[in-house]
Amino acid sequence: EPEVTQTPSHQVTQMGQEVILRCVPISNHLYFYWYRQILGQKVEFLVSFYNNEISEKSEIFDDQFSVERPDGSNFTLKIRSTKLEDSAMYFCASSPQSSGNTIYFGEGSWLTVV
Amino acid sequence: AQSVTQLGSHVSVSEGALVLLRCNYSSSVPPYLFWYVQYPNQGLQLLLKYTTGATLVKGINGFEAEFKKSETSFHLTKPSAHMSDAAEYFCAVNVGNEKLTFGTGTRLTIIP
């Protein structure tokens, strides 16, 4: 069964460093997402991406975050200058269409900022 | 704006007993409702979803949920718990835009 894959599974970085989290969505999907889950808290929406542009973003997704689909398969989340509070599990997800359709999640990238 | 409330952050049931995980939602428009499961060190896996039509939906691993509009609820049930059901369960709502809003999750423990 097709799946969303994410790399790295775990990354430790120093505060202030840039981090890129990578994702390969399911190949025929059109909508791509990033969510995050701070330890012990709920899963939160960060951003959705469709037709090579951001279609919706949350308040969390400020100027230090960016997303990119550099080629036909990868979807990346960049955090420009990491802060301690960015430590979380970051989930990439994709879906064939918007609203009401199943969103398929990857296994997550655990980011620890020290 | 939509929201989801999951009553009970931790639920323990004996193996073979009924599992009931509660979810209530708030939405100004007809919602799409989902239950996801997260096993330790794994991602989020869809258990079941309600979009339109039959209000009782069946999912994987013997789980089912019933959409009750009058109660704004979408509780998850399984008649007989199995040890492999131990995981964290998340209820989520989508209201026609592109994001899922999740509840805080319920950790299910199965007692042998």
Side-chain angles (χ1 to χ4, degrees):
Chain A
E1 185 177 332
E3 58 182 23
V4 177
T5 58
Q6 292 185 238
T7 55
S9 57
H10 189 193
Q11 182 164 352
V12 180
T13 189
Q14 288 197 323
M15 190 169 52
Q17 295 297 303
E18 176 183 283
V19 162
I20 297 176
L21 305 178
R22 292 183 167 80
C23 169
V24 179
I26 296 173
S27 63
N28 62 344
H29 285 186
L30 302 177
Y31 290 81
F32 313 113
Y33 312 85
W34 284 99
Y35 286 75
R36 80 172 184 189
Q37 183 182 26
I38 295 172
L39 187 63
Q41 299 185 24
K42 67 168 69 175
V43 178
E44 301 173 292
F45 169 79
L46 290 179
V47 66
S48 60
F49 191 86
Y50 170 71
N51 201 26
N52 285 318
E53 61 182 21
I54 291 173
S55 47
E56 190 172 350
K57 61 181 181 179
S58 71
E59 295 174 351
I60 304 167
F61 195 86
D62 61 22
D63 291 344
Q64 71 160 341
F65 291 93
S66 62
V67 290
E68 192 177 36
R69 188 159 163 80
D71 53 41
S73 60
N74 290 286
F75 179 52
T76 62
L77 174 69
K78 182 191 290 186
I79 308 175
R80 257 180 277 283
S81 177
T82 51
K83 299 180 283 212
L84 294 176
E85 54 264 39
D86 293 328
S87 295
M89 177 74 87
Y90 288 82
F91 291 106
C92 177
S94 68
S95 66
Q97 299 177 45
S98 67
S99 73
N101 275 272
T102 300
I103 296 178
Y104 295 85
F105 287 82
E107 293 199 349
S109 294
W110 183 250
L111 175 65
T112 302
V113 182
V114 297
Chain B
Q2 65 271 25
S3 66
V4 175
T5 301
Q6 290 183 243
L7 287 176
S9 58
H10 291 85
V11 170
S12 296
V13 301
S14 298
E15 191 175 15
L18 171 72
V19 175
L20 171 61
L21 304 182
R22 298 178 186 276
C23 172
N24 288 86
Y25 69 90
S26 171
S27 170
S28 57
V29 300
Y32 302 117
L33 295 159
F34 304 79
W35 276 99
Y36 281 85
V37 60
Q38 185 178 28
Y39 297 104
N41 301 315
Q42 294 189 26
L44 297 164
Q45 180 182 4
L46 181 72
L47 270 180
L48 49 79
K49 68 177 182 180
Y50 168 79
T51 52
T52 59
T55 56
L56 181 63
V57 292
K58 296 184 185 300
I60 61 171
N61 302 338
F63 284 93
E64 61 183 36
E66 187 171 10
F67 170 59
K68 292 187 176 180
K69 184 179 178 181
S70 61
E71 298 178 7
T72 61
S73 68
F74 191 57
H75 301 331
L76 181 71
T77 60
K78 181 174 180 177
S80 177
H82 191 273
M83 294 300 295
S84 60
D85 294 327
E88 184 130 21
Y89 292 80
F90 293 93
C91 182
V93 63
N94 171 273
V95 293
N97 53 19
E98 293 176 21
K99 69 178 185 180
L100 283 175
T101 298
F102 284 85
T104 50
T106 298
R107 184 169 299 278
L108 177 65
T109 300
I110 311 299
I111 304 166

